[in-house]
Amino acid sequence: MTQSKHNVVIFLGPPGAGKGTQAERLAQDKGLVKISTGDILRDHVVRGTDLGQQVKPILDAGTLVPDEILIALIRDKLADMEHVRVIFDGFPRTTAQAQALDMLLEELGAPVSAVPLLEVPDEVLVGRIVERGRQAAARGEAVRSDDTEEVARRRQQVYREQTQPLIDYYSGRGHLYRVDGVGGLDEVYGRIQTGMK
Ligand code: AMP
């Protein structure tokens, strides 16, 4: 991975592939800021902001929040940064978002460094998401309203239709590499690091 002052990593992969967990670890190791749009939106919902009230039904349904909202949110986040050293988790999710991100990064002189794609078979994904909900409940934690089987299936469908085209978008630019996302956390993390060299 480039050692320049800027470093932009985009984690791609379907819901339940483990992007959040792996991105968190990579962020700590490399001194990058993780930007998880799902976490940011859920935080707005919890705080009951105008944005939170607007997006809650969308998150509950498992469909996508409008591009303009996400793009404005990311523009604000990046505007404060002296050096753009970030890992995106859950953004971009549409071609329009990817194009807007490219424009923003060009303005900032911070090109995309790497796009790991975490690959996990469909049948494993929904099981993982439902299990994540169960485990959070068992720990007495708040359960994500979209970690139910029905909404999880909808989120996979939305991923296939709207986010999968980004695989071609980024592989065409030479940034994408595929990572087998099945295995232990350390094992998968090792593969991500190997691909980044
Ligand atoms: P996640 O935590 O990444 O699975 O995101 C949870 C939910 O937040 C998604 O199902 C969407 O409703 C919304 N969301 C998160 N990121 C985006 C994005 N980049 N574009 C549109 N909607 C998003």
Side-chain angles (χ1 to χ4, degrees):
M1 187 160 41
T2 160
Q3 293 299 312
S4 78
K5 56 187 179 158
H6 298 305
N7 196 344
V8 178
V9 178
I10 297 172
F11 258 82
L12 275 188
K19 296 188 296 297
T21 311
Q22 298 292 348
E24 184 74 53
R25 188 160 167 186
L26 194 68
Q28 279 175 13
D29 280 359
K30 305 262 179 200
L32 306 174
V33 176
K34 184 179 89 148
I35 300 180
S36 163
T37 44
D39 284 350
I40 295 170
L41 294 170
R42 278 187 290 278
D43 182 57
H44 276 276
V45 172
V46 169
R47 288 189 288 120
T49 65
D50 287 348
L51 176 62
Q53 291 177 29
Q54 187 184 347
V55 302
K56 185 180 187 314
I58 304 176
L59 267 65
D60 287 350
T63 53
L64 293 187
V65 172
D67 288 332
E68 314 79 77
I69 294 181
L70 269 298
I71 293 165
L73 215 148
I74 295 297
R75 184 181 294 121
D76 282 357
K77 280 262 164 208
L78 297 183
D80 298 340
M81 292 184 179
E82 192 185 339
H83 300 311
V84 184
R85 298 183 53 79
V86 295
I87 297 186
F88 288 108
D89 160 28
F91 179 90
R93 259 180 159 94
T94 64
T95 305
Q97 291 179 19
Q99 288 167 341
L101 179 62
D102 273 349
M103 283 176 61
L104 275 173
L105 292 175
E106 200 178 320
E107 279 167 30
L108 297 165
V112 173
S113 322
V115 184
L117 165 65
L118 275 185
E119 296 188 298
V120 176
D122 277 1
E123 63 273 23
V124 179
L125 292 169
V126 173
R128 276 194 188 178
I129 289 179
V130 173
E131 187 55 29
R132 174 167 73 190
R134 256 192 227 121
Q135 287 186 4
R139 289 193 299 265
E141 294 169 10
V143 179
R144 283 178 53 164
S145 57
D146 58 353
D147 274 356
T148 63
E149 182 166 347
E150 189 194 345
V151 181
R153 288 194 191 286
R154 163 76 61 76
R155 286 159 61 206
Q156 304 304 334
Q157 190 193 343
V158 168
Y159 174 79
R160 278 194 291 274
E161 291 172 4
Q162 304 197 55
T163 308
Q164 244 174 7
L166 295 185
I167 296 175
D168 285 345
Y169 184 93
Y170 286 112
S171 55
R173 284 161 173 72
H175 301 305
L176 185 118
Y177 66 95
R178 293 170 186 271
V179 176
D180 177 2
V182 179
L185 288 181
D186 291 345
E187 209 178 342
V188 175
Y189 187 66
R191 292 176 196 144
I192 293 169
Q193 284 183 308
T194 307
M196 211 155 263
K197 283 171 192 145

